[in-house]
Amino acid sequence: MKMVKNQQLVYSCILLFICLIDLSNAARSNPPDDVLEWVQKDDRRFLRANIRVGDLNRTIKFYTEFFGMEVLSRKDFPKVNISNAVIGFGSEETQFVLGLTQHHSAVDKLELGTAFHHFGITTQDIYTMVEKIRAAGGVITREPGPVAPGGTTIYAFVNDPDGYSFELFLRPPTPEPINHICLNVVDIDRSIDFYQKALGMNLLVPKYNNTQEQYTVAMVGYGSNYTQTTVIELQYNYNVTDYTKGNGYAQVAIGTDDVYKSAAAVEQVIQELGGKIIQPPGPIPFIKTKITAFLDSDGFETVLVDN
Ligand SMILES: *[C@@H]1O[C@H](CO)[C@@H](O)[C@H](O)[C@H]1NC(C)=O
Ligand SMILES: *[C@@H]1O[C@H](CO)[C@@H](O)[C@H](O)[C@H]1NC(C)=O
Ligand SMILES: *[C@@H]1O[C@H](CO)[C@@H](O)[C@H](O)[C@H]1NC(C)=O
Ligand SMILES: *[C@@H]1O[C@H](CO)[C@@H](O)[C@H](O)[C@H]1NC(C)=O
Ligand SMILES: *[C@@H]1O[C@H](CO)[C@@H](O)[C@H](O)[C@H]1NC(C)=O
């Protein structure tokens, strides 16, 4: 009887051991899929896009006077000759905003490059806005008007004093008036795949192929309605395979509940689609906020910031 019990114990132990091995195998093979699934459920939103500007005061004047943005914060760092401002249509606690940086003693010129395309903002009075910009000597690159004759969406393109392009949309008020960032990409399917898998975005506007103007665009973002939330517009221009990054548009920051899992997911998608982790997940010295940063398959930088 004792013998049998011992034997049973041994069998139980062996079974348990096998189960544990199975579990650890499962644990080893599962997390990658788990993090990709987790990314889809993470609490994410667009926080900020950072750009370098030639003259901070001039840019602030333009964005406040003509676009109607307000300065949310402003800081000068005289020791390193840098001035910063955060500007937008409302609090950065709830809205996507722009971060502006001027390097006062920069020896390199501000180069916008060709990869960054434009920002999009929503306005309820596009005609007045464009006329004010024109009257002040601003550059209008597309007059306000419908997409197609008889179309209902009215839009225009203007340049800011550095030459950053802004698409203006005539739309009712939305929670996110800084509505999109448009980036030029060389493989739109790969980019859509990257932003969906690595960043958990939804395809809010499927690929639209404009054969006349020779480009294809798609929009990815969080939420479900591209007019109500900030999106990344991915643009493929026929036959263009090379873009210059310049030093103007720097990166976009996105909030996450876990920078470590986020980085693991990005790392995995990078294996398949290309890209590079440039800042492993962890706290930034002194500030202690946890972040991770990476380049996507086209070399655009994203920073994931702990919520
Ligand atoms: C820029 O604006 C700030 C704050 O309004 C002001 O203190 C500063 O003198 C201005 N700089 C220049 C060069 O005008
Ligand atoms: C800041 O600018 C001043 C004046 O142009 C220059 O003398 C100084 O070396 C600069 N400092 C840094 C850290 O770039
Ligand atoms: C867009 O349409 C053209 C012409 O029909 C086609 O050759 C091309 O492959 C399409 N491009 C994309 C990205 O769908
Ligand atoms: C998006 O939201 C706007 C404003 O509420 C609404 O008019 C529009 O029908 C919505 N679009 C979709 C695709 O749900
Ligand atoms: C782009 O390439 C296609 C063939 O792949 C060609 O038909 C078209 O004319 C080219 N467009 C430009 C702008 O070079």
Side-chain angles (χ1 to χ4, degrees):
M1 193 61 193
K2 199 173 180 210
M3 191 61 190
V4 171
K5 261 203 165 156
N6 269 346
Q7 240 173 356
Q8 271 177 346
L9 190 68
V10 169
Y11 283 139
S12 307
C13 281
I14 289 171
L15 263 180
L16 183 68
F17 188 63
I18 289 169
C19 285
L20 282 178
I21 288 174
D22 259 344
L23 271 180
S24 68
N25 274 343
R28 230 173 286 140
S29 58
N30 270 350
D33 298 335
D34 285 352
V35 287
L36 291 188
E37 269 172 41
W38 172 84
V39 163
Q40 306 296 326
K41 295 177 235 148
D42 187 21
D43 180 19
R44 300 200 166 195
R45 78 177 177 90
F46 284 92
L47 303 174
R48 184 196 291 191
N50 293 309
I51 60 173
R52 176 175 156 187
V53 299
D55 179 336
L56 186 60
N57 286 10
R58 181 180 65 174
T59 302
I60 287 175
K61 186 168 189 292
F62 193 91
Y63 291 6
T64 51
E65 260 184 49
F66 300 124
F67 294 159
M69 294 186 193
E70 52 181 307
V71 179
L72 302 167
S73 69
R74 191 198 154 111
K75 226 170 178 167
D76 297 309
F77 302 91
K79 280 199 183 132
V80 287
N81 288 339
I82 285 177
S83 295
N84 262 336
V86 177
I87 191 163
F89 290 99
S91 163
E92 61 182 313
E93 300 299 318
T94 54
Q95 279 191 18
F96 178 59
V97 297
L98 299 178
L100 314 173
T101 302
Q102 180 183 354
H103 298 271
H104 297 281
S105 57
V107 282
D108 59 331
K109 256 188 76 197
L110 173 62
E111 296 281 354
L112 300 193
T114 56
F116 174 79
H117 201 298
H118 65 265
F119 290 112
I121 61 178
T122 297
T123 170
Q124 284 77 61
D125 197 356
I126 193 168
Y127 296 100
T128 308
M129 192 183 275
V130 166
E131 283 326 310
K132 272 183 163 170
I133 293 170
R134 196 195 317 278
V139 178
I140 317 298
T141 52
R142 197 230 186 233
E143 294 296 331
V147 174
T152 50
T153 305
I154 308 289
Y155 75 103
F157 274 98
V158 301
N159 285 349
D160 85 352
D162 285 310
Y164 285 105
S165 178
F166 279 78
E167 182 170 17
L168 314 176
F169 277 104
L170 179 62
R171 269 191 197 147
T174 82
E176 298 272 19
I178 302 180
N179 187 258
H180 69 263
I181 303 170
C182 180
L183 306 174
N184 287 320
V185 300
V186 299
D187 180 341
I188 196 163
D189 292 311
R190 180 182 66 180
S191 297
I192 292 171
D193 211 20
F194 190 100
Y195 281 90
Q196 286 187 300
K197 282 186 186 157
L199 288 166
M201 293 186 189
N202 305 316
L203 183 61
L204 299 181
V205 177
K207 266 195 303 181
Y208 167 71
N209 194 352
N210 187 331
T211 50
Q212 202 135 55
E213 292 181 36
Q214 308 222 320
Y215 65 75
T216 304
V217 290
M219 292 185 187
V220 290
Y222 302 107
S224 57
N225 186 329
Y226 73 97
T227 69
Q228 302 299 300
T229 181
T230 304
V231 298
I232 289 183
E233 180 176 22
L234 301 163
Q235 177 157 338
Y236 165 71
N237 301 295
Y238 288 14
N239 307 328
V240 185
T241 53
D242 271 315
Y243 292 101
T244 55
K245 282 281 164 339
N247 57 17
Y249 172 78
Q251 72 269 109
V252 63
I254 292 172
T256 172
D257 278 348
D258 188 328
V259 293
Y260 298 95
K261 281 189 189 172
S262 293
V266 169
E267 183 82 62
Q268 204 188 330
V269 176
I270 282 174
Q271 309 281 323
E272 185 197 344
L273 299 173
K276 191 178 172 200
I277 299 267
I278 52 172
Q279 174 77 47
I284 317 173
F286 308 113
I287 305 173
K288 293 212 172 75
T289 304
K290 293 195 195 82
I291 67 156
T292 184
F294 66 90
L295 304 180
D296 73 5
S297 44
D298 284 279
F300 289 109
E301 185 177 330
T302 298
V303 184
L304 288 153
V305 182
D306 198 321
N307 288 333

